[in-house]
């Protein structure tokens, strides 16, 4: 029986996916149909964003690094207790990534959205795994490997012991071959595919990899780099890749370090695990991409609040700031808080007091000045690969003490 204040979960695959530890109770404003998502702490607006993403992105294609260097013990694994509190603990890079991959598989099943996972090195239990299912109306991307249940997926991922090199070019070319036959149909429907490169290393052949990446970016795709290291040669390489690409590359870190990056620019936002998972799943609105890059403009702040909370349209903070703050506080009253790993406590998703201070008419000029400084320090995108210490990847570089447990 559902707990008081918690809506019952859906039946079938979504219910199976919902068996993992849940977060805070469902807010009364969340429709029952969104129970499988909101039971994990997703606020109403983020639930809607995920449903929209499941329709816009026909498939999610993960390239998962299981090379030998993933044994290095400088990772951060997310753990949740029975109360839904989230924290991170030291782990190997593979433990960090494999738990995240399993979380994303569960989210895909809960949303009824297909996600394919490709290990870059062969594994005796299977190298190519797919969960969720394509909608009949979506372009049918070729399935490589086998479709599996969540239990089967967990069993295979848990059995992986990283080994081998980093053949990223071959993995990317497989993804390219999957998408080429349906690229025209995806464009005609206004859809894309999400490609997530989850790696800690350099491709075996950097030049052929960069060529393949350029070809893939000509397809209707949204490309995410999930970088699992801060080793300088690796950061330098991906900084050069980022500079050479014509289209944006979304770079995501682990939960704790991503939360720190967001707090540097937009400390009024509690960057919780549901938002981190949603960004890995793929979100259409580019406002989410700015959170870890620069302070949001007042118009972007309002848009983010509406997207995240799912509230009615808020007043324009630049024309009626008092009404904006009042409406924001009312929206937060019906949204349950999120567990913030930086403060180790539940917080409202948005700190209305901090918003009121930073974006008030008296303080807005200072906030905008910080924003302009942030924008001027960001490297303009070019088509030539050059190492630049001001690149986003260099700014995001973590401090990990490298401890490798392999030869």
């Amino acid at each position: 029986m559902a707990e008081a204040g918690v809506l019952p979960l859906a039946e079938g695959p979504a219910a199976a996916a919902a068996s993992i530890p849940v977060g805070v109770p469902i807010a009364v404003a969340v429709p029952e149909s969104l129970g499988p998502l909101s039971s994990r702490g997703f606020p109403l607006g983020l639930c809607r964003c995920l449903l929209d993403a499941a329709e816009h992105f026909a498939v999610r294609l993960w390239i998962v690094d299981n090379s030998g260097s993933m044994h290095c013990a400088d990772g951060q694994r997310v753990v949740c207790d029975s109360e839904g509190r989230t924290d991170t603990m030291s782990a190997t890079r593979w433990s960090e990534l494999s738990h995240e991959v399993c979380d994303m598989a569960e989210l895909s099943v809960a949303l009824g959205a297909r996600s394919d996972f490709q290990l870059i090195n062969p594994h005796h239990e299977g190298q190519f795994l797919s969960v969720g299912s394509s909608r009949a109306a979506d372009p049918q991307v070729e399935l490589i490997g086998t479709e599996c249940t969540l239990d089967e997926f967990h069993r295979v991922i848990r059995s992986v012991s990283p080994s081998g090199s980093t053949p990223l070019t071959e993995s990317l070319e497989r993804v390219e071959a999957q998408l080429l036959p349906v690229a025209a149909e995806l464009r005609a429907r206004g859809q894309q595919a999400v490609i997530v490169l989850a790696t800690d290393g350099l491709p075996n052949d950097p030049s052929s990899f960069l060529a393949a990446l350029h070809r893939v970016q000509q397809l209707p795709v949204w490309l995410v780099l999930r970088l699992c290291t801060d080793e300088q040669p690796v950061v330098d390489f991906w900084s050069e890749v980022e500079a050479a690409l014509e289209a944006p590359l979304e770079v995501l870190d682990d939960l704790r370090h991503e939360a720190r990056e967001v707090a540097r620019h937009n400390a009024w936002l509690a960057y919780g695990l549901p938002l981190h998972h949603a960004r890995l799943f793929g979100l259409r609105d580019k406002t989410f991409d700015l959170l870890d890059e620069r302070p949001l403009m007042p118009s972007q702040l309002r848009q983010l609040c509406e997207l995240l909370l799912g509230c009615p349209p808020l007043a324009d903070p630049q024309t009626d700031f008092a009404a904006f703050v009042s409406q924001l506080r009312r929206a937060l009253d019906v949204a349950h808080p999120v567990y913030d790993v930086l403060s180790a406590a539940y917080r409202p998703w948005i700190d209305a007091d901090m918003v009121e201070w930073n974006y008030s008419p008296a303080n807005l000029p200072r906030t905008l000045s910080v924003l302009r400084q942030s924008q001027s320090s960001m490297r303009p995108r070019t088509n030539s690969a050059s190492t630049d210490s001001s690149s986003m990847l260099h700014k995001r570089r973590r401090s990990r003490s490298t401890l490798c447990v392999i030869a």
Side-chain angles (χ1 to χ4, degrees), residues 20-103:
I20 62 173
V22 300
V24 295
I26 299 173
V28 295
V30 176
E32 186 172 344
S33 60
L34 298 179
L37 296 180
S38 55
S39 66
R40 292 170 171 77
F42 289 92
L44 174 60
L46 199 53
C47 290
R48 290 172 175 166
C49 288
L50 283 168
L51 293 174
D52 174 70
E55 292 185 6
H56 177 72
F57 297 111
V59 67
R60 284 133 296 279
L61 303 171
W62 279 70
I63 295 174
V64 181
D65 190 339
N66 63 329
S67 63
S69 60
M70 293 295 287
H71 276 293
C72 287
D74 59 0
Q76 294 284 324
R77 181 167 73 85
V78 175
V79 292
C80 297
D81 66 17
S82 59
E83 300 295 325
R85 290 185 293 262
T86 305
D87 204 350
T88 57
M89 60 181 295
S90 297
T92 64
R93 296 174 187 173
W94 176 248
S95 180
E96 172 187 317
L97 180 57
S98 63
H99 281 80
E100 194 164 78
V101 161
C102 288
D103 288 341

Side-chain angles (χ1 to χ4, degrees), residues 154-350:
H154 282 286
R155 180 180 58 78
V156 172
I157 295 299
R158 283 197 298 264
S159 69
V160 172
S161 179
S163 63
S165 60
T166 316
L168 290 177
T169 302
E170 294 84 346
S171 297
L172 194 58
E173 287 175 340
R174 292 189 194 103
V175 167
E176 180 186 16
Q178 282 181 275
L179 294 178
L180 272 173
V182 297
E185 188 178 357
L186 285 170
R187 290 192 183 96
R189 292 172 174 269
Q191 291 180 292
Q192 293 177 292
V194 177
I195 300 175
V196 183
L197 289 167
T199 183
D200 74 335
L202 307 177
N204 289 346
D205 185 347
S207 60
S208 66
F209 173 77
L210 189 57
L213 198 57
H214 275 293
R215 294 195 306 271
V216 166
Q217 282 216 312
Q218 303 308 308
L219 301 173
V221 299
W222 174 243
L223 188 60
V224 177
L225 171 64
R226 173 60 172 90
L227 198 56
C228 304
T229 184
D230 70 342
E231 292 180 357
Q232 193 61 56
V234 179
V235 172
D236 288 344
F237 171 78
W238 288 105
S239 295
E240 294 175 0
V241 169
E242 184 188 26
L245 295 178
E246 297 177 2
L249 175 67
E250 172 73 340
V251 183
L252 293 178
D253 214 318
D254 68 70
L255 172 65
R256 179 175 292 278
H257 291 90
E258 197 65 33
R260 287 175 179 164
E261 288 298 319
V262 171
R264 287 181 58 228
H265 302 290
N266 298 286
W268 45 265
L269 176 68
Y271 188 82
L273 185 61
L275 180 53
H276 188 62
H277 282 168
R279 294 178 72 201
L280 281 168
F281 184 81
L283 294 173
R284 291 182 66 185
D285 198 286
K286 301 303 182 286
T287 306
F288 292 105
D289 306 334
L290 301 176
L291 294 174
D292 55 4
E293 296 179 7
R294 66 189 191 206
L296 295 189
M297 293 282 291
S299 60
Q300 295 167 332
L301 165 67
R302 178 178 65 169
Q303 184 178 17
L304 189 279
C305 293
E306 293 171 353
L307 287 169
L308 185 64
L309 301 176
C311 57
L314 302 172
D316 187 335
Q318 290 184 279
T319 60
D320 194 344
F321 185 71
F324 168 75
V325 172
S326 176
Q327 293 166 6
L328 174 60
R329 291 186 188 277
R330 286 200 298 270
L332 289 168
D333 283 343
V334 297
H336 277 274
V338 64
Y339 194 78
D340 173 36
V341 294
L342 299 184
S343 61
Y346 280 108
R347 285 179 51 191
W349 278 97
I350 296 163

